[in-house]
Amino acid sequence: MQIKSTVSRLLDASSSLVRKKGQHDKIARFNRPQPMPTTVIMVVEDDPLNQMIARKVLTSLGYTVVLANNGQEGMEALASANIDLILMDMHMPVMDGPDTTRNIRAQGCCLPVLGFTADTSIEAHQVCLDAGMQDVLTKPIQIDILSNTLDKFLSNDRA
């Protein structure tokens, strides 16, 4: 319960950082185009706390979120859901992020896959890119960077 309270305070604090002057209770949307209501992002992440944070942030940005606990579940969800972009953790049980991405690419899928990891090393990021991910985001989530990166990779769908 204390963790949820801490997460809520962190999200509330980060939301206050993006408020526009003169709008006391409305969160600014980073002056970005709103995603289409059907834009679906799959978060492949094994940690429940990270899943909860990612879901809350992504839904506050207007996206629909599908969660998978590991790469194998992500592969299954990809086969049965209409996904527009994947946020892929690097280190997970069953099937890790790089292996999952290689499998996705081997099936001919060209959806944007973004690494989503707490590992900040250049080598780890290169492993993600070599596996076929288009970019790598580091945890904890920085909402402005996440928003701009999603816009970059989803902009073709909105044209």
Side-chain angles (χ1 to χ4, degrees):
M1 194 56 80
Q2 184 179 1
I3 291 174
K4 280 189 174 184
S5 173
T6 302
V7 170
S8 291
R9 284 196 311 270
L10 287 171
L11 289 171
D12 290 342
S14 66
S15 295
S16 68
L17 295 175
V18 295
R19 293 178 197 264
K20 285 185 177 176
K21 186 176 182 179
Q23 290 183 324
H24 302 291
D25 295 320
K26 295 180 181 176
I27 296 175
R29 293 292 184 180
F30 305 105
N31 294 322
R32 61 192 288 283
Q34 292 301 303
M36 296 180 342
T38 58
T39 303
V40 179
I41 297 177
M42 178 167 60
V43 177
V44 185
E45 166 67 59
D46 62 315
D47 183 88
L49 180 60
N50 287 337
Q51 287 179 350
M52 183 179 70
I53 293 169
R55 179 189 294 268
K56 183 152 181 137
V57 169
L58 291 168
T59 56
S60 76
L61 293 173
Y63 297 102
T64 300
V65 178
V66 172
L67 295 175
N69 295 305
N70 58 59
Q72 183 177 338
E73 285 185 18
M75 295 290 295
E76 292 166 4
L78 187 58
S80 63
N82 187 16
I83 307 294
D84 297 299
L85 183 140
I86 302 168
L87 286 178
M88 182 76 68
D89 187 20
M90 184 173 185
H91 303 289
M92 296 176 287
V94 184
M95 186 186 301
D96 67 17
D99 285 342
T100 305
T101 303
R102 281 188 281 277
N103 286 332
I104 290 169
R105 298 299 180 227
Q107 293 180 359
C109 179
C110 58
L111 282 177
V113 178
L114 308 179
F116 188 55
T117 181
D119 193 332
T120 60
S121 73
I122 293 170
E123 296 82 9
H125 287 213
Q126 192 60 51
V127 167
C128 291
L129 296 172
D130 290 346
M133 297 181 196
Q134 281 89 350
D135 203 347
V136 182
L137 300 168
T138 55
K139 300 173 198 171
I141 295 173
Q142 295 179 33
I143 297 173
D144 57 337
I145 293 172
L146 174 65
S147 177
N148 290 335
T149 304
L150 294 174
D151 283 346
K152 174 181 161 184
F153 288 99
L154 293 168
S155 63
N156 292 337
D157 293 338
R158 295 184 203 159

